[in-house]
Amino acid sequence: MASSAGERLSVLQRHLSCPGREGPRRGTAGHWQPAAASSPSPKDTAGAPSLPRRRQEVLKWNGWGYKDSKFVVHKEDGYHVSFTGNRYKIGNMVLPHFASWVKETLGVDFEDCQPPQPPPQPHQIPQPILHPGLLEEVRALGLSHSLEGEDRLFRAHGHTLAEIFTLREGMFPRIPDLVVWPDGHKQVEKMVELASRHQVVLIPFGGGTSVSGALLCPEEEGRMIISLDTSQMNSILWVDEKNLTARIEAGIIGQDLERQLRARGYTSGHEPDSYEFSSLGGWVATRASGMKKNIYGNIEDLVVQVKVVTPRGTVERYAAGPRLSAGPDIQHFIMGSEGTFGVVTEVTLKIRPLPPVVRYGSIAFPDFSAGVRCMREVALQRCQPASIRLMDNQQFRFGHALKPPTGLMGLLVDGLKKVYITRIRGFDVNKMCVATLLFEGSEQEVTAQENRLYSIALSSGGVPAGAANGERGYMLTFVIAYIRDLGFDYGIVAESFETSVPWDRVYSLCHNVKHRITSECKERGIRHSFVTCRVTQTYDAGACVYFYFAFNYRGLSDPVHVYEEIEGNARNEILACGGSISHHHGVGKVRRQWMNQTVSAPGLGALRAVKEYFDPENIFANGNLL
Amino acid sequence: MTRKEIFDHVIHSDRVRHTISKLVEEGGDGKALEAEVEDILEQMGHTQELGVIRQFAFVLPKIMKKIYGKVLINEDGIEKLRNTHVETPVVLLPTHRSYADFLLVSYIAYHYNLPLPVIAAGMDFMNMAVIGDKLRGSGAFYIRRSFMDNPLYWAVFQEYVQTIVEYTGAPLEFFLEGTRSRSGKSLPPKIGLLGCVSEIWLRGRLPDLAIIPISISYDRTLEEKLYAYELLGIPKPPESTSGLLKATSILKESFGDIFIHMGEPVSLRSYLGPRVDRHLSASIPAHLASVTRSELCACEGLGYHILRQIQQGAVTSVWSVVCIQLARSLHGGCWSLPLATLVKEVAWLIGILRRTGAAVALEGTVEEAVVRSLSVHKQLASLGEDRVVYISRIHQADSHPPTTQKKLNLSAATVESAVTHLMLQHYINQAIHLLIRPALVALALHSLLHETNTPHTENLKERFAFLRSLFWFDFIFEKEVEGRDFMEGLSVLTWSGEVSVVQEQVQMMRSDSPFITTLLHLLSPFTLTYSCTAITLDSQVWEDNGLLVTAIQSQVERCIGSSGLYSALSLDSIRHSIRAFTKLGIVTRTTSVDGQARLTSDQQKLASVVNILGTKQDKHLQARL
């Protein structure tokens, strides 16, 4: 059995490696990374999953991430914000500038706190619709399952604003009726066969980090809905060190995959911002993109083979060769199918040896357009480091607001840096922006990359601004997701969305979308709003742009609806400016309306026909994409 | 941005470089083309020299104080404009009734400390000695009248205009109507510049643009007399400084007040957004994605929308209302009428106009206002000691200013009356947009009543729709709002008690309603023109050249008879009528083998136009009377 193979391997691993020698120290590989993996705990073996089957024991039921990690507000001569827990670098620290930043930018009144509703009582959770006979067969098969309200509610949603808002203030009209945890490909095949035979709906669930409404149960669905949780299929089945590939079960989450590969001296190099919680199967199903794609590639570059169970049978491409010419790639039908064709059960992924050197860096630019010019030049010369991201001025200042207190020396260095950049170089603090850099490779490679990059930066008007700024930038990526939950308490709704766009339109798209959002807010009487963007990925022909948008909804009756209207208009603006429907979040339900203009009517028709073939009775009826 | 920087930006733009390389492929000489671009730019380019601006700022008020009374402006509009400047680039679209418009907006910007506009001007100004350069120095740039067949010029022009809007921060000002409206009515929008400006937003280069409709209303138009001659077919002298100096005699006259209304900013995005699909061309390099037909159509709609905004912001002078009543008197053959009668009728009509929501510039009593306006316009109509208003025959044989070699199409007697008529019509036209909707409903009803006693509202609406599209170029309507226009017109008629609608049946309340008579009267010169166009087109197959226009004018002259409808001679309306007939498919333009364009007409349709316009019946009526 697959899981036992995984266990055997991890036991073997433990025998081979002395304690404390789990690959390179985290200190060198990156402080910013969530410390969950390295925090000592009795169960801390490379093979054990970080999240239990009952996710609610460790994760928030109505917000992002770990229960013990969150922003909190204290009152003691004024208000202070701090971050709890010791999983992240800013954990257990007061953030001295943050309270005044939110007050100024978003008009937050710390007196006016509205905590979320308590966890629902069992009677408040919709009663399950049960299909006669099915449950017995599930039991007979020995499939692990649950009818408990908490388990079902936990798998009824992803993390869009609307979903979290519903958890805090209401209840979903429809949630899964049953949760099953297959332990491997065989059990998935049985489950899909069972569902087809009984005409019930299956919605695959991986890490639950979707931001496209993909996990929501269609309200009008009258059949029983089963959430197929893949989290127990989480082993690395084998590692092929000759070809640098690994066969992995699709339910494994990012941090476990990395930790286990790291223990063997490898990395997948796939690090989406959600990688602490999101799963391999989810990455495949949404065409995910990782921060370090410049070295390792996006999921479509990393996947060698993928195995999917559809109601028509198991789809596989029986060739592990690096490329083949055999008609349209069947695996590309699967990647991005968002759970509408079937369940991804196993994936062969490329792996790479761990890089010996990891270094951060940052560059300050006088303004955003100079930054974009530099990014374009870097892409033109194809000398991107593992990651290069350009934050606009708003995000740069936001990052500063999240700075932990610094010691006297730190203050001195910071002060000097600031004097140099603002006084000597003449940068305007209200215009300047920063690019953060992550280098990986051998010492030689990294040094060469640094030299080349900083010389491009200098010629586009930038100034190298130190490793600390860069490192903090990447840390914020993980922490920023936690801020939204704090915002909710004080009448702030926030969300992020992304796009990809050709180079010549990057600047105007960023400018136009921010302008559009600001004016849409104004039209709706929103007094405080915050919109910021960053160019997070570069390609030969364009870039990926990521937006954060928050506003103060005190005084509005239906903030979620207002938000959705504004995001809809922002997406229209994005498309009109040459941007795409999505770079890596996927379509789900919230962006379905733009599929037609994205792939043309015949294109969409072809996708529907594929769905019709794989799943003629619409067992995978999550209603995504098509 | 300096002049040099703008030039460099244009020269190095993708569009200009692409156009040059295409022309080189077709055998052009790269160096020569580059030199041509620089020449075009030298000829086109504006500067904003503070010195010149100060000179104007010094001289203009002096001249203006001399000839005008007050300049009245809505200051809340100025403040809105100021706020809009912070948000988005601004395009100023004023009405064009007079040369005086030219620097008026700049002067106001200067006065209120707003960014000075860059103004698109016709080439004819450039050739004026001294003035041409002074205008350039105060922010005017010059464009050729027609250049669609010159791709290089077109590319440079587009880049130049777009650079100004996108990068300089200065508002762009141009005249949507393209030229001064001789007739006093709004002219149909020219969409070349508007399309060029819209392209910036259509191609996602800016998040939005604000368009400010500006209505400038003059009590008395400087060029009133010249316009009347031009509309009759006596061409204007070319723009020259000496001509301007000759015109300085006007410094001794009084031209009343000027009303300026800065309209509510129109967001280009809000208007065009729902009407275009920008994503369709968003993946083509911006300089290769020219504005599509449907996008141009939406821009045209925007043009009409702005013109309506301009009309709604315009202040109606009492003189316009006076002219309506003076013209009625003239049509009846009376060149004089008692002040008391005039005041009574003017007061009545002002009452109606105000109820339709018009802003009439009325200070004090109606009588005071009428007397005041008569004193401003004393050349045209003067008040005698005997409290009688005398209308003057402006044209004295062989005294009209521009002597031309061209043989006049019209008889001397006709011209003698027509000049006065057309001058009055110029002012009537400035208010005609207020009444055009009820007037067309009235005309539709009038024509239907010949066919049936109680027409159905649907029939009435259909007839109205036909008339609305027939007179599309003479009176400005917004696209897409035919139903609203109809309801607006019908409701004015119903609340004034002239018409009732019972169970979808429309009835006239009385046959001699003064309001309906006034409305039909307002339209009578236009219906005469359009009928004559139909009759002329019916007579033969015409080549598409000036001869047709002259022939129609002669036909009108023959038809005027005792009706006194001399304003029907207006070339402006004649040209509009031909355009409308073509658009409605009553006339088709075909190009024969020899390259000559011919106009063939559908005789049945022509007959129905004449029938609907009702001139036949009227003549019949007149004969019986």
Side-chain angles (χ1 to χ4, degrees), chain A residues 227-242:
Chain A
S227 176
L228 192 154
D229 187 322
T230 59
S231 63
Q232 304 310 302
M233 321 182 334
N234 53 22
S235 315
I236 297 181
L237 300 177
W238 44 254
V239 172
D240 178 347
E241 294 184 285
K242 292 210 174 62

Side-chain angles (χ1 to χ4, degrees), chain B residues 299-586:
Chain B
C299 291
E300 194 181 25
L302 174 65
Y304 281 102
H305 177 68
I306 300 288
L307 283 177
R308 280 294 292 145
Q309 299 298 109
I310 286 177
Q311 287 183 343
Q312 280 161 353
V315 172
T316 304
S317 70
V318 171
W319 174 246
S320 287
V321 186
V322 170
C323 285
I324 294 175
Q325 304 302 357
L326 292 181
R328 282 194 69 180
S329 174
L330 274 189
H331 295 164
C334 296
W335 286 72
S336 64
L337 78 165
L339 179 68
T341 320
L342 179 64
V343 168
K344 199 173 122 235
E345 286 176 340
V346 166
W348 167 74
L349 198 51
I350 286 179
I352 291 178
L353 289 176
R354 286 200 155 164
R355 281 181 69 188
T356 65
V360 182
L362 180 60
E363 257 183 289
T365 65
V366 175
E367 179 165 344
E368 284 162 13
V370 170
V371 172
R372 207 175 316 121
S373 70
L374 285 169
S375 75
V376 172
H377 293 273
K378 54 178 175 278
Q379 289 190 324
L380 193 51
S382 55
L383 182 60
E385 296 285 311
D386 49 358
R387 311 284 287 167
V388 171
V389 179
Y390 295 95
I391 306 167
S392 327
R393 282 176 211 271
I394 295 290
H395 178 81
Q396 307 293 324
D398 60 71
S399 77
H400 74 84
T403 46
T404 55
Q405 286 78 21
K406 202 180 121 188
K407 192 178 163 294
L408 205 57
N409 188 33
L410 305 165
S411 76
T414 304
V415 175
E416 203 168 300
S417 297
V419 173
T420 302
H421 275 268
L422 279 165
M423 282 171 74
L424 291 179
Q425 189 69 38
H426 177 82
Y427 295 102
I428 295 172
N429 281 345
Q430 289 183 7
I432 206 161
H433 61 90
L434 297 170
L435 293 171
I436 192 63
R437 284 155 193 78
L440 287 185
V441 175
L443 181 60
L445 186 59
H446 185 73
S447 74
L448 278 177
L449 284 174
H450 289 291
E451 297 160 22
T452 159
N453 279 334
T454 48
H456 195 267
T457 40
E458 277 308 308
N459 298 342
L460 184 62
K461 189 176 170 184
E462 197 187 315
R463 183 62 52 92
F464 169 83
F466 172 75
L467 290 170
R468 183 177 176 270
S469 40
L470 185 65
F471 290 114
W472 182 263
F473 298 106
D474 252 309
F475 309 109
I476 298 303
F477 301 98
E478 245 184 281
K479 287 184 170 182
E480 306 157 16
V481 297
E482 190 180 279
R484 197 176 77 195
D485 280 346
F486 173 67
M487 286 319 294
E488 204 182 304
L490 185 60
S491 66
V492 171
L493 293 184
T494 45
W495 64 242
S496 61
E498 311 292 359
V499 159
S500 75
V501 183
V502 182
Q503 290 178 329
E504 303 291 298
Q505 305 287 316
V506 188
Q507 271 183 320
M508 273 264 243
M509 299 308 281
R510 45 186 169 154
S511 57
D512 57 344
S513 141
F515 184 40
I516 294 214
T517 314
T518 304
L519 290 176
L520 292 177
H521 213 99
L522 267 180
L523 287 177
S524 53
F526 299 97
T527 52
L528 181 59
T529 307
Y530 280 64
S531 300
C532 289
T533 302
I535 293 165
T536 313
L537 282 168
D538 196 30
S539 61
Q540 66 176 88
V541 172
W542 290 90
E543 287 185 357
D544 190 14
N545 55 28
L547 284 179
L548 173 61
V549 174
T550 335
I552 296 171
Q553 203 185 33
S554 305
Q555 177 69 35
V556 174
E557 192 182 14
R558 281 195 295 279
C559 283
I560 289 173
S562 59
S563 71
L565 296 172
Y566 288 94
S567 358
L569 292 164
S570 163
L571 292 180
D572 190 51
S573 287
I574 293 176
R575 291 196 187 97
H576 286 155
S577 66
I578 300 173
R579 208 174 148 191
F581 278 50
T582 319
K583 185 184 154 223
L584 287 175
I586 301 170

Side-chain angles (χ1 to χ4, degrees), chain A residues 109-126:
Chain A
D109 175 7
F110 283 110
E111 297 290 337
D112 181 10
C113 176
Q114 275 181 358
Q117 65 184 3
Q121 297 297 309
H123 71 270
Q124 291 170 305
I125 295 176

Side-chain angles (χ1 to χ4, degrees), chain A residues 416-460:
Chain A
L416 284 176
K417 239 188 257 168
K418 192 175 167 189
V419 165
Y420 175 70
I421 285 181
T422 57
R423 292 288 159 76
I424 300 179
R425 298 293 306 233
F427 287 11
D428 179 348
V429 185
N430 293 315
K431 281 190 181 147
M432 63 175 287
C433 66
V434 169
T436 58
L437 309 167
L438 170 64
F439 300 92
E440 278 191 11
S442 68
E443 178 63 43
Q444 250 180 328
E445 283 167 347
V446 168
T447 312
Q449 273 186 3
E450 282 175 330
N451 290 339
R452 189 153 174 211
L453 212 79
Y454 290 134
S455 79
I456 293 175
L458 287 172
S459 61
S460 355

Side-chain angles (χ1 to χ4, degrees), chain B residues 127-145:
Chain B
N127 301 323
M128 291 169 74
V130 189
I131 298 292
D133 283 338
K134 291 286 175 197
L135 284 178
R136 195 195 286 276
S138 63
F141 67 98
Y142 294 108
I143 43 182
R144 295 181 195 161
R145 282 281 172 205

